[in-house]
Amino acid sequence: MPISAASLVRRVSAVNPLLLDGALALALVVGTWLWEMYDPGKGRPPDPLSLSLTVLVNAPVALRRRAPVAVLVVSTGAALVYHMLGYHLGLNSMGPLVTLYTLAAHRPWAFTLAGAALIVTEWTQASVRQPGVALWSALGQSLLVAAYTVGAGTSTRLLAERTRQLAVLADQLHREQDAAARRAVTHERVRIARELHDVVAHHMSVISVQAGLGRYVALSDPATAHATLGVIADTSHEALAEMRRLLSILRIEADDEDEGLYSTAPGLRNLEPLAERIRAAGLPLTVIVEGEVRPLPPGLDMCAYRIVQESLTNVLKHAGRARVEIRVTYGPATLALRVTNDGAAATGSSRSRGHGLIGMTERVRLYQGTINAGPLPLGGFEVLAIFPLSPPDDQPQEASS
């Protein structure tokens, strides 16, 4: 089975660098010695001294990654002595060049320039000893070879630095993605908690009022007591249905195509059943819708419903036997919700930063709206929320009722 070039590179990269450099040094020593033995050229014939110098030039290459400066000095010095003694002028030049490449790839520019000067000096003196080679030609050739080697090493260093930077950026991106995922989970938990608060607070307030009324008239007015039990049953059933919807959302997988659970989310279309439940609790309530009713985005629709629901819950808790008015106004570019009551001054307690008002404020801000809640000059309490809307032609086509 043939091995691809990429696979070969990965396998070589996985090998210990010291083993690779040792193999390279051994190949340089053996190759240089064999070349000198079979092609001595016009220089001094090979002898034990030339073998010793050849080993001294090339063997240190095995340590080129660990101590490139020392290796370059030793290798270049041995090559200089080798050529000055008159041995083969074309050999023992590759070891210093390999070390210069390593120096350029792993050390600062000062060391690289000093190493390049050593290489140019050694190459020039070796070349100029050859017959018919002028000094300027030898110097030019040496400068060209040294420049090419330094350029290759510098390119490798820049590539390695770029790879490290990309690794740092990838790690930073991974951390940011994890943080964003954690924030999304937190936001979803807050949203679910807000939904559960609205559902439980409103329905339990209605159930509490109805249970108190039923207990009060249980013996004196059985018909009214029976009616309150019906309201309690309907309210608890609705609360369970909404809580089941919220808990079911938590179990929906990312690829779940069943949107039925989402489509049951309440909206302004449910205002009348909400109003009937409040009336059954004994509070006179009027719903007024102004302007041209049109479909709303699902999130905004549910947000508006929750604002009204929480406002009515506060009325049940704080306003006593108050008359309530819900006014929904569809404007060209806004949706206004106004919930007012004529209850006692104790209604002002809902100005405290409890979960209800905080939840309403967060919901409204989510849709770039504004909300004001406070006592009226002549008594009672008002909650006014205003949401920006797109022009009617830009509204979603899905029906909200």
Side-chain angles (χ1 to χ4, degrees):
M1 182 177 181
I3 301 177
S4 64
S7 176
L8 181 60
V9 169
R10 285 194 298 269
R11 292 185 181 184
V12 172
S13 300
V15 178
N16 190 320
L18 185 60
L19 294 178
L20 290 177
D21 292 341
L24 175 61
L26 180 61
L28 288 174
V29 170
V30 174
T32 301
W33 176 246
L34 291 177
W35 193 320
E36 186 178 15
M37 289 291 294
Y38 291 100
D39 183 19
K42 297 181 180 181
R44 185 174 173 177
D47 54 27
L49 178 59
S50 68
L51 174 60
S52 300
L53 290 174
T54 297
V55 172
L56 195 59
V57 170
N58 299 290
V61 172
L63 302 176
R64 65 188 181 93
R65 299 177 198 257
R66 297 189 176 184
V69 176
V71 169
L72 181 64
V73 171
V74 172
S75 180
T76 306
L80 183 63
V81 173
Y82 178 89
H83 293 136
M84 290 182 66
L85 291 176
Y87 291 109
H88 199 302
L89 297 177
L91 297 180
N92 282 326
S93 299
M94 294 305 299
L97 282 182
V98 171
T99 309
L100 178 62
Y101 165 83
T102 305
L103 195 67
H106 299 285
R107 291 295 184 269
W109 273 102
F111 292 100
T112 302
L113 293 177
L118 287 177
I119 294 294
V120 169
T121 300
E122 199 282 322
W123 268 63
T124 301
Q125 72 86 23
S127 299
V128 80
R129 288 175 175 272
Q130 297 182 16
V133 178
L135 176 62
W136 66 267
S137 176
L139 180 61
Q141 180 185 10
S142 302
L143 289 172
L144 183 62
V145 171
Y148 179 82
T149 305
V150 170
T154 302
S155 300
T156 301
R157 182 180 61 187
L158 294 177
L159 180 60
E161 291 177 355
R162 180 61 175 170
T163 302
R164 286 193 295 268
Q165 292 175 356
L166 290 176
V168 171
L169 291 176
D171 184 64
Q172 180 180 357
L173 178 60
H174 181 70
R175 291 196 302 269
E176 291 177 353
Q177 289 176 339
D178 288 343
R182 289 193 295 270
R183 286 195 300 270
V185 171
T186 301
H187 292 165
E188 184 64 13
R189 288 176 177 174
V190 170
R191 186 185 71 81
I192 296 297
R194 188 185 301 126
E195 290 289 317
L196 288 174
H197 169 269
D198 291 345
V199 170
V200 174
H202 173 76
H203 291 85
M204 292 306 297
S205 296
V206 173
I207 291 173
S208 176
V209 171
Q210 290 295 312
L213 175 61
R215 183 176 61 180
Y216 181 75
V217 301
L219 298 178
S220 60
D221 191 349
T224 302
H226 184 272
T228 61
L229 291 176
V231 174
I232 290 174
D234 294 340
T235 303
S236 60
H237 176 75
E238 183 175 342
L240 288 173
E242 288 206 41
M243 291 181 67
R244 186 179 298 112
R245 176 183 63 83
L246 291 174
L247 296 177
S248 298
I249 289 175
L250 296 177
R251 295 195 298 269
I252 293 180
E253 301 295 336
D255 57 350
D256 196 341
E257 298 180 356
D258 183 8
E259 298 183 356
L261 294 170
Y262 294 101
S263 63
T264 61
L268 292 181
R269 64 186 180 278
N270 302 107
L271 273 188
E272 195 54 42
L274 178 63
E276 289 296 333
R277 190 161 57 244
I278 297 300
R279 295 187 188 107
L283 299 183
L285 186 145
T286 304
V287 178
I288 301 174
V289 179
E290 299 175 333
E292 182 181 354
V293 178
R294 61 181 187 267
L296 300 174
L300 175 59
D301 196 18
M302 185 173 70
C303 176
Y305 175 85
R306 293 303 188 198
I307 297 298
V308 176
Q309 185 184 55
E310 181 62 29
S311 300
L312 295 178
T313 301
N314 288 335
V315 173
L316 289 172
K317 290 180 178 179
H318 306 293
R321 310 291 292 182
R323 284 191 293 271
V324 185
E325 178 182 280
I326 302 173
R327 187 178 296 271
V328 182
T329 304
Y330 291 86
T334 59
L335 171 70
L337 304 174
R338 187 188 304 269
V339 182
T340 58
N341 68 81
D342 59 0
T347 307
S349 64
S350 50
R351 284 180 62 88
S352 64
R353 303 302 294 179
H355 293 292
L357 186 55
I358 292 175
M360 285 195 290
T361 302
E362 290 177 348
R363 287 180 183 278
V364 173
R365 287 179 178 174
L366 183 63
Y367 294 95
Q368 291 78 47
T370 59
I371 185 170
N372 292 294
L376 295 170
L378 300 180
F381 199 81
E382 175 186 73
V383 175
L384 174 62
I386 300 177
F387 299 93
L389 290 181
S390 302
D393 292 340
D394 296 337
Q395 290 294 323
Q397 297 300 316
E398 61 183 282
S400 63
S401 58

mmCIF file of all heavy atoms in Angstrom, residues 56-80:
data_model
loop_
_atom_site.group_PDB
_atom_site.id
_atom_site.type_symbol
_atom_site.label_atom_id
_atom_site.label_comp_id
_atom_site.label_asym_id
_atom_site.label_seq_id
_atom_site.Cartn_x
_atom_site.Cartn_y
_atom_site.Cartn_z
ATOM 1 N N LEU A 56 34.703 16.042 12.878
ATOM 2 C CA LEU A 56 34.530 17.248 13.688
ATOM 3 C C LEU A 56 33.627 18.265 12.991
ATOM 4 O O LEU A 56 32.920 19.039 13.632
ATOM 5 C CB LEU A 56 35.904 17.859 13.977
ATOM 6 C CG LEU A 56 35.964 18.919 15.099
ATOM 7 C CD1 LEU A 56 35.473 18.313 16.400
ATOM 8 C CD2 LEU A 56 37.391 19.440 15.260
ATOM 9 N N VAL A 57 33.650 18.276 11.660
ATOM 10 C CA VAL A 57 32.788 19.195 10.910
ATOM 11 C C VAL A 57 31.329 18.752 10.955
ATOM 12 O O VAL A 57 30.417 19.566 11.161
ATOM 13 C CB VAL A 57 33.269 19.305 9.441
ATOM 14 C CG1 VAL A 57 32.229 20.053 8.600
ATOM 15 C CG2 VAL A 57 34.601 20.019 9.371
ATOM 16 N N ASN A 58 31.074 17.471 10.794
ATOM 17 C CA ASN A 58 29.703 16.997 10.569
ATOM 18 C C ASN A 58 29.044 16.345 11.780
ATOM 19 O O ASN A 58 27.820 16.409 11.919
ATOM 20 C CB ASN A 58 29.694 16.004 9.403
ATOM 21 C CG ASN A 58 30.165 16.633 8.108
ATOM 22 O OD1 ASN A 58 29.481 17.465 7.528
ATOM 23 N ND2 ASN A 58 31.355 16.243 7.658
ATOM 24 N N ALA A 59 29.786 15.680 12.640
ATOM 25 C CA ALA A 59 29.174 14.997 13.780
ATOM 26 C C ALA A 59 28.417 15.950 14.714
ATOM 27 O O ALA A 59 27.341 15.600 15.222
ATOM 28 C CB ALA A 59 30.248 14.212 14.547
ATOM 29 N N PRO A 60 28.925 17.172 14.982
ATOM 30 C CA PRO A 60 28.172 18.062 15.877
ATOM 31 C C PRO A 60 26.777 18.443 15.351
ATOM 32 O O PRO A 60 25.948 18.946 16.116
ATOM 33 C CB PRO A 60 29.064 19.301 15.981
ATOM 34 C CG PRO A 60 30.447 18.806 15.698
ATOM 35 C CD PRO A 60 30.246 17.734 14.663
ATOM 36 N N VAL A 61 26.524 18.201 14.062
ATOM 37 C CA VAL A 61 25.198 18.517 13.518
ATOM 38 C C VAL A 61 24.099 17.779 14.274
ATOM 39 O O VAL A 61 22.954 18.241 14.333
ATOM 40 C CB VAL A 61 25.157 18.174 12.007
ATOM 41 C CG1 VAL A 61 23.740 18.295 11.454
ATOM 42 C CG2 VAL A 61 26.096 19.087 11.250
ATOM 43 N N ALA A 62 24.451 16.657 14.920
ATOM 44 C CA ALA A 62 23.450 15.917 15.698
ATOM 45 C C ALA A 62 22.881 16.764 16.829
ATOM 46 O O ALA A 62 21.769 16.513 17.302
ATOM 47 C CB ALA A 62 24.078 14.631 16.251
ATOM 48 N N LEU A 63 23.637 17.790 17.281
ATOM 49 C CA LEU A 63 23.197 18.648 18.390
ATOM 50 C C LEU A 63 22.788 20.037 17.913
ATOM 51 O O LEU A 63 22.741 20.973 18.712
ATOM 52 C CB LEU A 63 24.316 18.758 19.438
ATOM 53 C CG LEU A 63 24.804 17.432 20.049
ATOM 54 C CD1 LEU A 63 25.978 17.687 20.982
ATOM 55 C CD2 LEU A 63 23.674 16.738 20.784
ATOM 56 N N ARG A 64 22.507 20.177 16.636
ATOM 57 C CA ARG A 64 22.264 21.511 16.071
ATOM 58 C C ARG A 64 21.034 22.195 16.667
ATOM 59 O O ARG A 64 20.984 23.435 16.765
ATOM 60 C CB ARG A 64 22.110 21.418 14.554
ATOM 61 C CG ARG A 64 20.888 20.644 14.085
ATOM 62 C CD ARG A 64 20.879 20.424 12.586
ATOM 63 N NE ARG A 64 19.698 19.693 12.143
ATOM 64 C CZ ARG A 64 18.571 20.279 11.720
ATOM 65 N NH1 ARG A 64 18.488 21.601 11.669
ATOM 66 N NH2 ARG A 64 17.550 19.542 11.321
ATOM 67 N N ARG A 65 20.022 21.437 17.104
ATOM 68 C CA ARG A 65 18.812 22.070 17.671
ATOM 69 C C ARG A 65 19.028 22.509 19.112
ATOM 70 O O ARG A 65 18.387 23.440 19.583
ATOM 71 C CB ARG A 65 17.629 21.102 17.595
ATOM 72 C CG ARG A 65 17.236 20.680 16.193
ATOM 73 C CD ARG A 65 16.105 19.673 16.254
ATOM 74 N NE ARG A 65 15.970 18.923 15.007
ATOM 75 C CZ ARG A 65 15.035 19.146 14.101
ATOM 76 N NH1 ARG A 65 14.150 20.098 14.291
ATOM 77 N NH2 ARG A 65 14.981 18.414 13.003
ATOM 78 N N ARG A 66 19.917 21.789 19.824
ATOM 79 C CA ARG A 66 20.132 22.104 21.237
ATOM 80 C C ARG A 66 21.142 23.220 21.438
ATOM 81 O O ARG A 66 20.981 24.045 22.346
ATOM 82 C CB ARG A 66 20.600 20.842 21.974
ATOM 83 C CG ARG A 66 19.563 19.713 21.974
ATOM 84 C CD ARG A 66 19.985 18.588 22.886
ATOM 85 N NE ARG A 66 18.955 17.557 22.961
ATOM 86 C CZ ARG A 66 19.021 16.475 23.752
ATOM 87 N NH1 ARG A 66 20.089 16.308 24.530
ATOM 88 N NH2 ARG A 66 18.059 15.589 23.755
ATOM 89 N N ALA A 67 22.201 23.254 20.648
ATOM 90 C CA ALA A 67 23.240 24.284 20.804
ATOM 91 C C ALA A 67 23.726 24.723 19.434
ATOM 92 O O ALA A 67 24.871 24.440 19.035
ATOM 93 C CB ALA A 67 24.394 23.744 21.645
ATOM 94 N N PRO A 68 22.901 25.408 18.667
ATOM 95 C CA PRO A 68 23.287 25.758 17.286
ATOM 96 C C PRO A 68 24.492 26.690 17.205
ATOM 97 O O PRO A 68 25.287 26.586 16.270
ATOM 98 C CB PRO A 68 22.025 26.411 16.723
ATOM 99 C CG PRO A 68 21.264 26.880 17.920
ATOM 100 C CD PRO A 68 21.565 25.902 19.005
ATOM 101 N N VAL A 69 24.652 27.600 18.172
ATOM 102 C CA VAL A 69 25.783 28.531 18.112
ATOM 103 C C VAL A 69 27.097 27.779 18.283
ATOM 104 O O VAL A 69 28.058 27.940 17.485
ATOM 105 C CB VAL A 69 25.633 29.624 19.188
ATOM 106 C CG1 VAL A 69 26.868 30.536 19.193
ATOM 107 C CG2 VAL A 69 24.368 30.442 18.945
ATOM 108 N N ALA A 70 27.177 26.953 19.320
ATOM 109 C CA ALA A 70 28.413 26.191 19.559
ATOM 110 C C ALA A 70 28.698 25.236 18.403
ATOM 111 O O ALA A 70 29.861 25.087 17.964
ATOM 112 C CB ALA A 70 28.278 25.408 20.872
ATOM 113 N N VAL A 71 27.668 24.577 17.892
ATOM 114 C CA VAL A 71 27.853 23.645 16.787
ATOM 115 C C VAL A 71 28.378 24.373 15.553
ATOM 116 O O VAL A 71 29.283 23.880 14.847
ATOM 117 C CB VAL A 71 26.531 22.912 16.478
ATOM 118 C CG1 VAL A 71 26.648 22.138 15.170
ATOM 119 C CG2 VAL A 71 26.164 21.969 17.612
ATOM 120 N N LEU A 72 27.829 25.573 15.296
ATOM 121 C CA LEU A 72 28.272 26.323 14.112
ATOM 122 C C LEU A 72 29.733 26.737 14.245
ATOM 123 O O LEU A 72 30.512 26.643 13.282
ATOM 124 C CB LEU A 72 27.389 27.555 13.923
ATOM 125 C CG LEU A 72 27.732 28.418 12.697
ATOM 126 C CD1 LEU A 72 27.492 27.623 11.417
ATOM 127 C CD2 LEU A 72 26.901 29.694 12.680
ATOM 128 N N VAL A 73 30.142 27.180 15.427
ATOM 129 C CA VAL A 73 31.532 27.601 15.624
ATOM 130 C C VAL A 73 32.472 26.420 15.432
ATOM 131 O O VAL A 73 33.499 26.510 14.717
ATOM 132 C CB VAL A 73 31.706 28.219 17.031
ATOM 133 C CG1 VAL A 73 33.191 28.450 17.326
ATOM 134 C CG2 VAL A 73 30.938 29.524 17.119
ATOM 135 N N VAL A 74 32.143 25.278 16.063
ATOM 136 C CA VAL A 74 33.016 24.101 15.944
ATOM 137 C C VAL A 74 33.050 23.595 14.504
ATOM 138 O O VAL A 74 34.132 23.306 13.943
ATOM 139 C CB VAL A 74 32.527 22.996 16.910
ATOM 140 C CG1 VAL A 74 33.299 21.699 16.664
ATOM 141 C CG2 VAL A 74 32.694 23.443 18.344
ATOM 142 N N SER A 75 31.876 23.477 13.880
ATOM 143 C CA SER A 75 31.815 22.916 12.529
ATOM 144 C C SER A 75 32.524 23.811 11.523
ATOM 145 O O SER A 75 33.301 23.345 10.674
ATOM 146 C CB SER A 75 30.347 22.730 12.128
ATOM 147 O OG SER A 75 30.237 22.197 10.832
ATOM 148 N N THR A 76 32.293 25.129 11.609
ATOM 149 C CA THR A 76 32.934 26.054 10.664
ATOM 150 C C THR A 76 34.440 26.111 10.883
ATOM 151 O O THR A 76 35.234 26.163 9.922
ATOM 152 C CB THR A 76 32.308 27.455 10.807
ATOM 153 O OG1 THR A 76 30.901 27.365 10.658
ATOM 154 C CG2 THR A 76 32.869 28.399 9.767
ATOM 155 N N GLY A 77 34.865 26.125 12.164
ATOM 156 C CA GLY A 77 36.314 26.142 12.453
ATOM 157 C C GLY A 77 37.017 24.909 11.921
ATOM 158 O O GLY A 77 38.118 24.994 11.340
ATOM 159 N N ALA A 78 36.375 23.729 12.099
ATOM 160 C CA ALA A 78 36.992 22.498 11.587
ATOM 161 C C ALA A 78 37.040 22.505 10.066
ATOM 162 O O ALA A 78 38.038 22.056 9.450
ATOM 163 C CB ALA A 78 36.200 21.282 12.087
ATOM 164 N N ALA A 79 35.979 23.025 9.421
ATOM 165 C CA ALA A 79 35.977 23.102 7.956
ATOM 166 C C ALA A 79 37.059 24.057 7.465
ATOM 167 O O ALA A 79 37.736 23.805 6.437
ATOM 168 C CB ALA A 79 34.603 23.543 7.460
ATOM 169 N N LEU A 80 37.275 25.168 8.194
ATOM 170 C CA LEU A 80 38.307 26.129 7.806
ATOM 171 C C LEU A 80 39.694 25.485 7.872
ATOM 172 O O LEU A 80 40.524 25.627 6.942
ATOM 173 C CB LEU A 80 38.229 27.346 8.722
ATOM 174 C CG LEU A 80 39.190 28.501 8.414
ATOM 175 C CD1 LEU A 80 38.904 29.090 7.039
ATOM 176 C CD2 LEU A 80 39.070 29.587 9.488
#
